[in-house]
Amino acid sequence: MSTTRLDAVTGGPALTDDEATALRHEAISYAAQHGLLVATESSESGATMPSTFTHAPIALLPTPFPADVFALATRVAPLFASVSDAVSRDDAFLRETLAGVIRADDFTRRVWDIYERCGGQEGRHPMELGVLRTDYMLDAPSGLPLQVEVNTVSTSFMALSTRVSQMHRRAIEWLGAERAYAEGAGSDAGSASAEDVASALARRLPTNSALELAAETLHAGWRAMNDDDARVLMVVQPCERNVFDQRMIEAALWERHGVKTIRATLREIASDAVVAEDDAKTLTYRGARVSVVYYRAGYAPTDYPSEAEWDARLLLERSGAVKSPSAAMHLAGTKKVQQTLASPGGLERFVECEEDVRAMRSVFAGLYALDGEDAVAAVELGLNAPESYVLKPQREGGGNNLYGEALRAQLAKFTPDAPIGSDGDLSSFILMQRILPPVNRTLCLRNGEMQELETLSELGIYGGYLRVGEDVAMNVVGGHLLRTKAASSDEGGVAAGYAVLDSPCLTFT
Ligand code: ADP
Ligand code: MG
């Protein structure tokens, strides 16, 4: 006999235990059939494929998300792509904004050194290729999508998020809950025709084309390079487990666009890649010409365990291949740049249209500098209400931010005029208003185990960007990611083990 669960998943039907279990089986089956997988073993080499897998961490049903909030995040995403590129081309702005960070933080300084050693703006490749994602959380008090961060390097889950969206559509069918979900689109689904139900469902579950966009963007860069025999070089981490998310992009590039991809780690590139000393600075890897470098590694200090990896990064940067991203674009995606853009006059330096500035400003949370003359006031803000802020270093990949007591302890070390890099100096951090999303109930599946959790969600909007010289050849939005984590957890990375992949089920008021 099945018993009805007391709490329905937010926005979903009440499920009996048997129905939830059946859903688990279907979801795992779907994951295996469609590559919604992560490897459970890994290998040092980029080309080696692990042979044991499990399903990716997923939510079994989609999570409600307000349609107007989704629309605003989608509207501003390409504006942030343009601004990131404009920032990356503004040497004076980058230099001034990152001055404190570069002195206090070794990792950012090394990326900056690569930018400078390749000749700064003069030495830059004429093209910039962006596979981007801006992240937002719905701030319950204001009802706005507040921007968590802008990702310009190694944005992940374009393939797996696409599959999760498709899986959720199927999950609703397995439950026979089409009409129940269609009602949320405002139609009277009880008496609606099957066609009306289908179109209401389509409104609620927006099509996710992130995988296609990833391949289209890389293809656009490849085509602009105009070398039919060249390949895309995907720079990957040794011991990567999120291989399906990467391999599906590789497959789409080949099957839809006829472009071949090589996978290699920075270490392998250090030993086996060559840049020709000709005008074109042609890049070859193990004898194959490469025209596009796509980084799925290189964003964290742990990606550079020795000088060899830094040598590889420098070699790629100075090569004639287009990089996704360049060192300058990588730097434009730092949290320090986001904070500076949010300060008075920050956006106006790069955006002429006042309406665009207003829209972009409306998604900024409170962001505060911890270098310069404003640091004293920011430290006081944080010390007075540690629970209301997040302290962020210039890091990517999850697990680096400080909250609550740890935030308080770090801020308490602050000493005005402390020497850069000393304990009392906080130049490498920014302080951010804590966003407070609504709490939902979610059925999460991780390693085959189902758990019903109180959760918070973060929306990512993907973008593809290509600039060739002064001409912006592509700046499009396509696809999204919802990551859902336990409400009790501060951080939100899926790969880092904090969150599950999810999709939004839009709500209309
Ligand atoms: P990373 O580059 O490591 O992904 P993020 O800025 O995205 O850094 O922060 C990691 C996670 O911390 C986010 O996914 C989110 O869950 C949480 N987080 C970050 N900023 C805030 C904020 N202002 N309010 C609430 N949670 C936040
Ligand atoms: Mg993030």
Side-chain angles (χ1 to χ4, degrees):
M1 282 290 284
S2 64
T3 50
T4 303
R5 285 174 172 248
L6 288 178
D7 300 292
V9 169
T10 309
L15 297 179
T16 64
D17 286 340
D18 285 355
E19 281 168 335
T21 304
L23 194 55
R24 169 191 176 277
H25 293 313
E26 295 297 339
I28 295 173
S29 161
Y30 188 94
Q33 291 178 65
H34 297 86
L36 183 46
L37 301 170
V38 289
T40 53
E41 59 177 29
S42 63
S43 124
E44 280 291 314
S45 161
T48 310
M49 184 62 196
S51 59
T52 58
F53 331 113
T54 184
H55 67 85
I58 44 178
L60 286 179
L61 288 166
T63 294
F65 198 89
D68 54 344
V69 176
F70 185 85
L72 178 55
T74 305
R75 149 142 165 69
V76 295
L79 303 176
F80 280 102
S82 301
V83 166
S84 297
D85 186 32
V87 165
S88 85
R89 301 183 75 192
D90 190 332
D91 185 272
F93 179 85
L94 277 178
R95 196 171 289 276
E96 196 188 333
T97 302
L98 296 176
V101 172
I102 287 166
R103 282 188 293 163
D105 180 53
D106 276 352
F107 178 72
T108 312
R109 194 191 61 246
R110 294 218 63 169
V111 179
W112 175 264
D113 283 349
I114 286 179
Y115 162 71
E116 288 223 301
R117 284 174 70 183
C118 292
Q121 294 298 323
E122 288 70 45
R124 260 182 92 173
H125 197 280
M127 301 179 199
E128 184 65 49
L129 182 61
V131 180
L132 309 168
R133 196 186 71 224
T134 41
D135 293 333
Y136 305 84
M137 282 170 133
L138 165 57
D139 182 55
S142 64
L144 286 165
L146 294 188
Q147 186 182 69
V148 175
E149 63 159 345
V150 174
N151 294 290
T152 58
V153 60
S154 194
T155 56
S156 51
F157 299 122
M158 291 180 90
L160 296 194
S161 68
T162 300
R163 293 290 180 256
V164 171
S165 293
Q166 293 160 343
M167 190 273 278
H168 282 165
R169 179 72 177 79
R170 290 294 304 279
I172 289 167
E173 292 162 7
W174 294 321
L175 292 173
E178 292 96 324
R179 277 175 194 274
Y181 274 90
E183 267 168 25
S187 65
D188 182 8
S191 58
S193 68
E195 241 172 39
D196 292 343
V197 168
S199 74
L201 267 182
R203 278 185 78 205
R204 296 211 68 197
L205 304 171
T207 303
N208 193 352
S209 52
L211 170 57
E212 288 86 339
L213 179 68
E216 266 165 34
T217 306
L218 293 170
H219 177 235
W222 178 86
R223 217 181 31 214
M225 289 293 292
N226 205 18
D227 180 352
D228 286 351
D229 293 327
R231 298 174 186 215
V232 170
L233 176 63
M234 194 185 297
V235 184
V236 299
Q237 293 176 328
C239 304
E240 176 64 77
R241 288 167 191 254
N242 190 22
V243 281
F244 289 88
D245 189 50
Q246 301 172 346
R247 295 244 178 200
M248 279 194 264
I249 294 174
E250 182 182 331
L253 258 173
W254 174 240
E255 288 160 12
R256 292 164 197 229
H257 304 289
V259 179
K260 288 184 175 160
T261 302
I262 306 170
R263 296 167 58 88
T265 63
L266 283 169
R267 177 157 287 255
E268 289 171 320
I269 289 164
S271 59
D272 294 350
V274 179
V275 172
E277 295 305 330
D278 56 10
D279 284 350
K281 296 192 210 134
T282 306
L283 175 66
T284 50
Y285 177 76
R286 296 186 181 167
R289 271 207 314 284
V290 169
S291 62
V292 176
V293 175
Y294 170 43
Y295 287 101
R296 291 296 297 260
Y299 56 84
T302 46
D303 289 339
Y304 302 87
S306 73
E307 284 306 304
E309 287 79 11
W310 283 113
D311 292 346
R313 180 77 190 258
L314 179 63
L315 180 103
L316 297 177
E317 184 70 17
R318 89 184 167 72
S319 81
V322 59
K323 272 74 62 179
S324 181
S326 64
M329 189 69 157
H330 182 165
L331 293 165
T334 52
K335 284 145 182 107
K336 184 66 197 172
V337 164
Q338 182 197 29
Q339 175 263 305
T340 308
L341 288 173
S343 65
L347 278 178
E348 289 78 357
R349 180 177 176 124
F350 301 101
V351 188
E352 273 172 24
C353 170
E354 281 176 25
E355 209 185 313
D356 287 349
V357 170
R358 262 199 305 278
M360 294 170 87
R361 236 175 231 304
S362 74
V363 303
F364 278 138
L367 286 151
Y368 308 92
L370 289 168
D371 57 356
E373 53 198 34
D374 299 332
V376 177
V379 168
E380 204 169 295
L381 272 180
L383 284 177
N384 286 337
E387 300 306 326
S388 303
Y389 295 91
V390 181
L391 185 58
K392 298 188 171 188
Q394 309 304 308
R395 287 289 175 275
E396 303 291 331
N400 300 298
N401 299 334
L402 301 177
Y403 303 82
E405 176 49 32
L407 169 146
R408 200 203 55 73
Q410 187 68 38
L411 288 182
K413 293 182 191 163
F414 175 73
T415 321
D417 304 320
I420 297 275
S422 71
D423 256 11
D425 167 50
L426 300 178
S427 320
S428 64
F429 291 90
I430 61 152
L431 187 73
M432 186 173 185
Q433 167 198 344
R434 186 156 187 167
I435 308 167
L436 301 169
V439 175
N440 293 306
R441 287 192 79 80
T442 309
L443 259 182
C444 301
L445 190 71
R446 183 184 287 280
N447 290 322
E449 291 202 13
M450 207 162 47
Q451 235 188 334
E452 202 176 329
L453 292 176
E454 307 247 292
T455 58
L456 310 177
S457 295
E458 178 174 349
L459 175 73
I461 302 289
Y462 289 108
Y465 185 88
L466 172 65
R467 176 177 49 75
V468 181
E470 296 302 317
D471 175 34
V472 176
M474 176 181 195
N475 184 8
V476 297
V477 166
H480 50 267
L481 163 73
L482 199 71
R483 280 171 301 172
T484 292
K485 63 173 184 181
S488 57
S489 153
D490 291 321
E491 286 284 320
V494 175
Y498 304 109
V500 295
L501 298 168
D502 194 356
S503 81
C505 183
L506 300 184
T507 55
F508 299 83
T509 45

